[in-house]
Amino acid sequence: GRARQIESLMRPRLQAMAARYACIGDVRGRGAMLAVELVKPGGTEPDPATTTAVAKACHAAGVVVLTAGTYGNVLRFLPPLVIPDHLLNEGLDVLDAGFSEVAG
């Protein structure tokens, strides 16, 4: 049940980021395990450099984001089921700021 609640908080925020940042090619996952795939804007070519840059920006702000995928162009999220909603939203704010900084 909590995994579905986390998804209901995260997925709309991630989809809103995908609408704002052309480098986000896909939002996928189920429950609390979600991911965004980063691509070069205007296409489907994987963009591992932007993925790494966003992950580093998040880390510098205190949020650990895992990179994954065959091409290293996926940011994977699996917050603990006990995370309070306010901390989850704070982490998503950091992620959004990381995208803004890197992909503006």
Side-chain angles (χ1 to χ4, degrees):
R2 178 63 180 148
R4 286 189 299 274
Q5 290 173 337
I6 289 171
E7 180 180 13
S8 73
L9 289 170
M10 287 188 70
R11 186 176 292 276
R13 294 277 310 267
L14 294 174
Q15 289 171 330
M17 287 180 221
R20 284 195 313 279
Y21 305 111
C23 63
I24 299 177
D26 189 26
V27 175
R28 60 177 175 254
R30 184 173 187 182
M33 189 171 180
L34 297 170
V36 294
E37 182 176 358
L38 279 69
V39 296
K40 294 191 177 177
T44 59
E45 184 181 346
D47 192 349
T50 299
T51 307
T52 300
V54 171
K56 285 182 180 179
C58 290
H59 185 261
V63 174
V64 176
V65 178
L66 299 177
T67 59
T70 302
Y71 305 103
N73 69 314
V74 176
L75 294 175
R76 191 179 67 110
F77 313 102
L78 185 55
L81 296 178
V82 296
I83 190 171
D85 290 351
H86 75 279
L87 284 181
L88 181 58
N89 280 312
E90 186 178 324
L92 290 167
D93 290 343
V94 168
L95 177 65
D96 198 349
F99 274 111
S100 179
E101 177 184 324
V102 171

